[in-house]
Amino acid sequence: MINMEEIALKRALRLMRQEWKQNKSRASFHYAFAIRKSRIIAFGKNNLLDASKKALKIGRSLNIDKWKEYPYIHAECDVISQLDEKYDKSDLIILSLRINRTGKFRLAKPCINCQKTLEILGYNNVWWSLSSDDNSNKLILTNEKESIKYEDA
């Protein structure tokens, strides 16, 4: 991923922090971005408070029982629901970031249902944050094949 998308990554971090605004009402906040070249083309976030027609539609179309019964949108599905067919999926990066209420990076690996949805729909370039391993709160991204530490988080 990275190098290219360093510009988009900086924008994603800025957008995530603006959206979060040091809100301490929840334990963590989960955001996802669709990145193409150096542009963010879609932004999604978890909504665990309000049932979502998007989640219900995805649950029904892909036969995901949990989302048919509990249709609360996850960040990754929120972001891909905003994409249309004009984008070649092989050109897209899905970036999933989670921070806790104090702004520390946390594990943002897509849940099993989001992984299933991403795979079925052909989104294969998915990156997510890992929990900060020290007090420096450096952003560590992985896709299970490789990990990178981003120094300017």
Side-chain angles (χ1 to χ4, degrees), residues 111-150:
C111 73
I112 193 161
N113 293 317
C114 287
Q115 286 179 33
K116 178 180 175 181
T117 302
L118 291 163
E119 287 174 15
I120 289 171
L121 296 177
Y123 294 95
N124 298 315
N125 195 359
V126 180
W127 289 77
W128 59 88
S129 63
L130 296 176
S131 294
S132 302
D133 59 355
D134 58 20
N135 289 332
S136 68
N137 195 34
K138 298 292 183 197
L139 173 59
I140 304 167
L141 296 173
T142 189
N143 64 2
E144 288 191 343
K145 295 176 187 155
E146 62 180 308
S147 293
I148 57 164
K149 193 176 260 193
Y150 182 68

CSV table of all heavy atoms in Angstrom, one decimal, residues 111-150:
chain,number,residue,atom,x,y,z
A,111,CYS,N,-14.4,-7.8,11.3
A,111,CYS,CA,-15.0,-9.0,11.9
A,111,CYS,C,-15.2,-10.0,10.8
A,111,CYS,O,-15.1,-9.8,9.6
A,111,CYS,CB,-16.3,-8.6,12.6
A,111,CYS,SG,-17.6,-8.3,11.5
A,112,ILE,N,-15.6,-11.2,11.3
A,112,ILE,CA,-15.7,-12.3,10.3
A,112,ILE,C,-16.8,-12.0,9.3
A,112,ILE,O,-16.7,-12.4,8.1
A,112,ILE,CB,-16.0,-13.6,11.1
A,112,ILE,CG1,-15.9,-14.8,10.1
A,112,ILE,CG2,-17.4,-13.6,11.8
A,112,ILE,CD1,-15.7,-16.1,10.8
A,113,ASN,N,-17.9,-11.3,9.7
A,113,ASN,CA,-18.9,-11.0,8.7
A,113,ASN,C,-18.4,-9.9,7.7
A,113,ASN,O,-18.8,-10.0,6.5
A,113,ASN,CB,-20.2,-10.5,9.4
A,113,ASN,CG,-20.8,-11.6,10.2
A,113,ASN,OD1,-20.9,-12.8,9.7
A,113,ASN,ND2,-21.2,-11.4,11.4
A,114,CYS,N,-17.7,-8.9,8.2
A,114,CYS,CA,-17.1,-7.9,7.3
A,114,CYS,C,-16.1,-8.6,6.3
A,114,CYS,O,-16.1,-8.3,5.1
A,114,CYS,CB,-16.5,-6.8,8.0
A,114,CYS,SG,-17.7,-5.7,8.8
A,115,GLN,N,-15.3,-9.5,6.9
A,115,GLN,CA,-14.3,-10.2,6.0
A,115,GLN,C,-15.0,-11.0,4.9
A,115,GLN,O,-14.6,-10.9,3.8
A,115,GLN,CB,-13.5,-11.2,6.9
A,115,GLN,CG,-12.5,-10.5,7.8
A,115,GLN,CD,-11.7,-11.6,8.6
A,115,GLN,OE1,-11.5,-12.7,8.2
A,115,GLN,NE2,-11.3,-11.2,9.8
A,116,LYS,N,-16.1,-11.7,5.3
A,116,LYS,CA,-16.9,-12.4,4.3
A,116,LYS,C,-17.4,-11.5,3.3
A,116,LYS,O,-17.4,-11.8,2.1
A,116,LYS,CB,-18.0,-13.2,5.1
A,116,LYS,CG,-18.9,-14.0,4.2
A,116,LYS,CD,-20.0,-14.7,5.0
A,116,LYS,CE,-21.0,-15.4,4.1
A,116,LYS,NZ,-22.1,-16.0,4.9
A,117,THR,N,-18.0,-10.4,3.7
A,117,THR,CA,-18.6,-9.4,2.7
A,117,THR,C,-17.5,-8.9,1.8
A,117,THR,O,-17.7,-8.8,0.6
A,117,THR,CB,-19.3,-8.3,3.5
A,117,THR,OG1,-20.3,-8.8,4.4
A,117,THR,CG2,-19.9,-7.3,2.6
A,118,LEU,N,-16.4,-8.5,2.3
A,118,LEU,CA,-15.3,-7.9,1.5
A,118,LEU,C,-14.8,-9.0,0.5
A,118,LEU,O,-14.6,-8.7,-0.7
A,118,LEU,CB,-14.1,-7.5,2.4
A,118,LEU,CG,-14.4,-6.2,3.3
A,118,LEU,CD1,-13.4,-6.1,4.4
A,118,LEU,CD2,-14.4,-5.0,2.4
A,119,GLU,N,-14.6,-10.2,0.9
A,119,GLU,CA,-14.2,-11.3,0.0
A,119,GLU,C,-15.2,-11.6,-1.1
A,119,GLU,O,-14.8,-11.7,-2.2
A,119,GLU,CB,-13.9,-12.6,0.8
A,119,GLU,CG,-12.7,-12.5,1.7
A,119,GLU,CD,-12.5,-13.7,2.6
A,119,GLU,OE1,-13.2,-14.8,2.3
A,119,GLU,OE2,-11.7,-13.6,3.5
A,120,ILE,N,-16.5,-11.7,-0.7
A,120,ILE,CA,-17.5,-12.0,-1.7
A,120,ILE,C,-17.6,-10.9,-2.7
A,120,ILE,O,-17.7,-11.2,-3.9
A,120,ILE,CB,-18.9,-12.2,-1.0
A,120,ILE,CG1,-18.9,-13.5,-0.2
A,120,ILE,CG2,-20.0,-12.2,-2.0
A,120,ILE,CD1,-20.1,-13.7,0.7
A,121,LEU,N,-17.5,-9.7,-2.3
A,121,LEU,CA,-17.6,-8.6,-3.2
A,121,LEU,C,-16.3,-8.2,-4.0
A,121,LEU,O,-16.3,-7.4,-4.8
A,121,LEU,CB,-18.1,-7.3,-2.5
A,121,LEU,CG,-19.5,-7.5,-1.9
A,121,LEU,CD1,-20.0,-6.3,-1.1
A,121,LEU,CD2,-20.6,-7.8,-3.0
A,122,GLY,N,-15.2,-8.9,-3.6
A,122,GLY,CA,-14.0,-8.8,-4.4
A,122,GLY,C,-13.0,-7.7,-3.9
A,122,GLY,O,-12.2,-7.2,-4.7
A,123,TYR,N,-13.2,-7.2,-2.7
A,123,TYR,CA,-12.2,-6.2,-2.1
A,123,TYR,C,-11.1,-7.0,-1.4
A,123,TYR,O,-11.3,-7.5,-0.3
A,123,TYR,CB,-13.0,-5.3,-1.1
A,123,TYR,CG,-14.0,-4.5,-1.8
A,123,TYR,CD1,-15.3,-4.8,-1.8
A,123,TYR,CD2,-13.6,-3.3,-2.4
A,123,TYR,CE1,-16.3,-4.0,-2.4
A,123,TYR,CE2,-14.6,-2.5,-3.0
A,123,TYR,CZ,-15.9,-2.9,-3.0
A,123,TYR,OH,-16.9,-2.1,-3.7
A,124,ASN,N,-10.0,-7.1,-2.1
A,124,ASN,CA,-8.9,-7.9,-1.6
A,124,ASN,C,-7.7,-7.1,-1.0
A,124,ASN,O,-6.9,-7.7,-0.4
A,124,ASN,CB,-8.3,-8.8,-2.8
A,124,ASN,CG,-9.4,-9.7,-3.3
A,124,ASN,OD1,-10.1,-10.3,-2.5
A,124,ASN,ND2,-9.5,-9.7,-4.6
A,125,ASN,N,-7.7,-5.8,-1.2
A,125,ASN,CA,-6.6,-5.0,-0.6
A,125,ASN,C,-7.1,-4.3,0.6
A,125,ASN,O,-7.5,-3.2,0.5
A,125,ASN,CB,-6.1,-4.1,-1.7
A,125,ASN,CG,-4.7,-3.5,-1.3
A,125,ASN,OD1,-4.2,-3.8,-0.2
A,125,ASN,ND2,-4.2,-2.6,-2.2
A,126,VAL,N,-7.1,-5.0,1.7
A,126,VAL,CA,-7.7,-4.5,3.0
A,126,VAL,C,-6.5,-4.4,4.0
A,126,VAL,O,-5.8,-5.3,4.3
A,126,VAL,CB,-8.8,-5.4,3.5
A,126,VAL,CG1,-9.4,-4.9,4.8
A,126,VAL,CG2,-9.9,-5.6,2.5
A,127,TRP,N,-6.4,-3.2,4.6
A,127,TRP,CA,-5.4,-2.9,5.7
A,127,TRP,C,-6.2,-2.5,6.9
A,127,TRP,O,-7.2,-1.9,6.8
A,127,TRP,CB,-4.5,-1.8,5.2
A,127,TRP,CG,-3.6,-2.2,4.1
A,127,TRP,CD1,-3.9,-2.3,2.8
A,127,TRP,CD2,-2.2,-2.5,4.3
A,127,TRP,NE1,-2.7,-2.7,2.1
A,127,TRP,CE2,-1.7,-2.8,3.0
A,127,TRP,CE3,-1.3,-2.6,5.4
A,127,TRP,CZ2,-0.4,-3.2,2.8
A,127,TRP,CZ3,0.0,-2.9,5.1
A,127,TRP,CH2,0.5,-3.3,3.9
A,128,TRP,N,-5.6,-2.8,8.1
A,128,TRP,CA,-6.2,-2.3,9.3
A,128,TRP,C,-5.1,-2.0,10.4
A,128,TRP,O,-4.0,-2.4,10.3
A,128,TRP,CB,-7.1,-3.4,9.9
A,128,TRP,CG,-6.5,-4.7,10.1
A,128,TRP,CD1,-5.9,-5.1,11.3
A,128,TRP,CD2,-6.5,-5.8,9.2
A,128,TRP,NE1,-5.5,-6.4,11.2
A,128,TRP,CE2,-5.8,-6.9,9.9
A,128,TRP,CE3,-6.9,-6.0,7.9
A,128,TRP,CZ2,-5.6,-8.1,9.3
A,128,TRP,CZ3,-6.6,-7.3,7.3
A,128,TRP,CH2,-6.0,-8.3,8.0
A,129,SER,N,-5.5,-1.2,11.3
A,129,SER,CA,-4.6,-0.8,12.4
A,129,SER,C,-4.5,-1.9,13.4
A,129,SER,O,-5.4,-2.7,13.6
A,129,SER,CB,-5.1,0.5,13.1
A,129,SER,OG,-6.3,0.3,13.7
A,130,LEU,N,-3.3,-2.0,14.0
A,130,LEU,CA,-3.0,-2.9,15.2
A,130,LEU,C,-3.0,-2.0,16.4
A,130,LEU,O,-2.8,-0.8,16.3
A,130,LEU,CB,-1.7,-3.6,15.0
A,130,LEU,CG,-1.6,-4.5,13.8
A,130,LEU,CD1,-0.2,-5.1,13.7
A,130,LEU,CD2,-2.6,-5.7,13.9
A,131,SER,N,-3.1,-2.6,17.6
A,131,SER,CA,-3.0,-1.9,18.8
A,131,SER,C,-1.6,-1.4,19.0
A,131,SER,O,-0.6,-2.1,18.6
A,131,SER,CB,-3.3,-2.8,20.0
A,131,SER,OG,-4.7,-3.2,20.0
A,132,SER,N,-1.5,-0.2,19.5
A,132,SER,CA,-0.1,0.4,19.7
A,132,SER,C,0.6,-0.5,20.7
A,132,SER,O,0.1,-0.9,21.7
A,132,SER,CB,-0.3,1.8,20.3
A,132,SER,OG,-1.0,2.6,19.4
A,133,ASP,N,1.9,-0.8,20.3
A,133,ASP,CA,2.6,-1.7,21.2
A,133,ASP,C,3.5,-1.0,22.2
A,133,ASP,O,4.2,-1.6,23.0
A,133,ASP,CB,3.5,-2.6,20.3
A,133,ASP,CG,4.4,-1.9,19.4
A,133,ASP,OD1,4.4,-0.6,19.4
A,133,ASP,OD2,5.2,-2.5,18.7
A,134,ASP,N,3.4,0.3,22.2
A,134,ASP,CA,4.2,1.1,23.2
A,134,ASP,C,3.5,2.4,23.5
A,134,ASP,O,2.4,2.6,23.0
A,134,ASP,CB,5.6,1.3,22.7
A,134,ASP,CG,5.6,2.1,21.3
A,134,ASP,OD1,4.6,2.7,21.0
A,134,ASP,OD2,6.6,2.0,20.6
A,135,ASN,N,4.1,3.2,24.3
A,135,ASN,CA,3.4,4.5,24.6
A,135,ASN,C,3.5,5.6,23.6
A,135,ASN,O,3.0,6.7,23.8
A,135,ASN,CB,4.0,5.0,26.0
A,135,ASN,CG,3.5,4.1,27.1
A,135,ASN,OD1,2.4,3.5,27.1
A,135,ASN,ND2,4.3,4.0,28.2
A,136,SER,N,4.2,5.3,22.5
A,136,SER,CA,4.4,6.3,21.5
A,136,SER,C,3.2,6.5,20.6
A,136,SER,O,3.0,7.5,19.9
A,136,SER,CB,5.6,5.9,20.6
A,136,SER,OG,5.3,4.8,19.8
A,137,ASN,N,2.3,5.5,20.6
A,137,ASN,CA,1.0,5.5,19.8
A,137,ASN,C,1.3,5.6,18.3
A,137,ASN,O,0.6,6.3,17.6
A,137,ASN,CB,0.1,6.6,20.3
A,137,ASN,CG,-1.3,6.4,19.8
A,137,ASN,OD1,-1.8,5.2,19.6
A,137,ASN,ND2,-2.0,7.4,19.4
A,138,LYS,N,2.3,5.0,17.8
A,138,LYS,CA,2.6,4.9,16.4
A,138,LYS,C,1.5,4.1,15.7
A,138,LYS,O,1.1,3.1,16.3
A,138,LYS,CB,4.0,4.4,16.1
A,138,LYS,CG,5.1,5.2,16.7
A,138,LYS,CD,5.2,6.5,16.0
A,138,LYS,CE,6.4,7.3,16.6
A,138,LYS,NZ,6.4,8.7,16.3
A,139,LEU,N,1.2,4.5,14.5
A,139,LEU,CA,0.2,3.7,13.8
A,139,LEU,C,0.9,2.5,13.1
A,139,LEU,O,1.9,2.7,12.4
A,139,LEU,CB,-0.5,4.6,12.7
A,139,LEU,CG,-1.4,3.9,11.7
A,139,LEU,CD1,-2.5,3.2,12.4
A,139,LEU,CD2,-1.9,4.9,10.7
A,140,ILE,N,0.4,1.3,13.4
A,140,ILE,CA,0.9,0.1,12.7
A,140,ILE,C,-0.2,-0.4,11.9
A,140,ILE,O,-1.3,-0.7,12.4
A,140,ILE,CB,1.4,-1.0,13.8
A,140,ILE,CG1,2.4,-0.4,14.7
A,140,ILE,CG2,1.9,-2.2,13.0
A,140,ILE,CD1,2.7,-1.2,15.9
A,141,LEU,N,0.0,-0.6,10.6
A,141,LEU,CA,-1.0,-1.2,9.7
A,141,LEU,C,-0.5,-2.5,9.2
A,141,LEU,O,0.7,-2.8,9.0
A,141,LEU,CB,-1.1,-0.2,8.5
A,141,LEU,CG,-1.7,1.2,8.7
A,141,LEU,CD1,-1.6,2.0,7.5
A,141,LEU,CD2,-3.1,1.1,9.3
A,142,THR,N,-1.5,-3.4,9.0
A,142,THR,CA,-1.2,-4.7,8.5
A,142,THR,C,-2.3,-5.2,7.5
A,142,THR,O,-3.4,-4.7,7.5
A,142,THR,CB,-1.0,-5.8,9.6
A,142,THR,OG1,-0.6,-7.0,9.1
A,142,THR,CG2,-2.4,-6.0,10.3
A,143,ASN,N,-1.9,-6.2,6.7
A,143,ASN,CA,-2.9,-6.9,5.9
A,143,ASN,C,-2.7,-8.4,6.0
A,143,ASN,O,-3.1,-9.1,5.2
A,143,ASN,CB,-2.8,-6.4,4.4
A,143,ASN,CG,-1.5,-6.8,3.8
A,143,ASN,OD1,-0.6,-7.4,4.4
A,143,ASN,ND2,-1.3,-6.4,2.6
A,144,GLU,N,-2.1,-8.8,7.1
A,144,GLU,CA,-1.7,-10.2,7.4
A,144,GLU,C,-0.5,-10.7,6.6
A,144,GLU,O,0.1,-11.6,7.0
A,144,GLU,CB,-2.8,-11.1,7.4
A,144,GLU,CG,-3.8,-10.9,8.5
A,144,GLU,CD,-4.8,-12.0,8.6
A,144,GLU,OE1,-5.0,-12.8,7.7
A,144,GLU,OE2,-5.4,-12.1,9.7
A,145,LYS,N,-0.1,-10.0,5.5
A,145,LYS,CA,1.0,-10.4,4.7
A,145,LYS,C,2.2,-9.6,5.1
A,145,LYS,O,3.4,-10.1,5.1
A,145,LYS,CB,0.8,-10.3,3.2
A,145,LYS,CG,-0.3,-11.2,2.7
A,145,LYS,CD,-0.6,-11.0,1.3
A,145,LYS,CE,-1.8,-11.9,0.9
A,145,LYS,NZ,-2.5,-11.3,-0.2
A,146,GLU,N,2.0,-8.4,5.5
A,146,GLU,CA,3.0,-7.5,5.8
A,146,GLU,C,2.5,-6.4,6.8
A,146,GLU,O,1.3,-6.2,6.9
A,146,GLU,CB,3.7,-6.8,4.6
A,146,GLU,CG,2.7,-5.9,3.8
A,146,GLU,CD,3.4,-5.2,2.6
A,146,GLU,OE1,4.4,-4.6,2.8
A,146,GLU,OE2,2.8,-5.4,1.5
A,147,SER,N,3.4,-5.8,7.6
A,147,SER,CA,3.0,-4.8,8.5
A,147,SER,C,4.0,-3.6,8.3
A,147,SER,O,5.1,-3.8,8.0
A,147,SER,CB,3.1,-5.2,10.0
A,147,SER,OG,2.2,-6.2,10.2
A,148,ILE,N,3.4,-2.4,8.5
A,148,ILE,CA,4.3,-1.2,8.4
A,148,ILE,C,4.0,-0.3,9.6
A,148,ILE,O,2.8,-0.3,10.1
A,148,ILE,CB,4.0,-0.5,7.1
A,148,ILE,CG1,2.6,-0.1,6.9
A,148,ILE,CG2,4.5,-1.2,5.9
A,148,ILE,CD1,2.4,1.0,5.9
A,149,LYS,N,5.0,0.4,10.0
A,149,LYS,CA,4.8,1.3,11.1
A,149,LYS,C,4.8,2.7,10.5
A,149,LYS,O,5.8,3.0,9.8
A,149,LYS,CB,5.9,1.2,12.1
A,149,LYS,CG,5.7,1.9,13.4
A,149,LYS,CD,6.8,1.7,14.4
A,149,LYS,CE,6.3,0.6,15.4
A,149,LYS,NZ,7.1,0.5,16.6
A,150,TYR,N,3.8,3.4,10.7
A,150,TYR,CA,3.7,4.8,10.1
A,150,TYR,C,4.1,5.8,11.2
A,150,TYR,O,3.5,5.9,12.2
A,150,TYR,CB,2.3,5.0,9.7
A,150,TYR,CG,2.1,6.4,9.0
A,150,TYR,CD1,2.7,6.7,7.8
A,150,TYR,CD2,1.3,7.4,9.6
A,150,TYR,CE1,2.5,7.9,7.2
A,150,TYR,CE2,1.1,8.6,9.0
A,150,TYR,CZ,1.7,8.9,7.8
A,150,TYR,OH,1.6,10.1,7.2
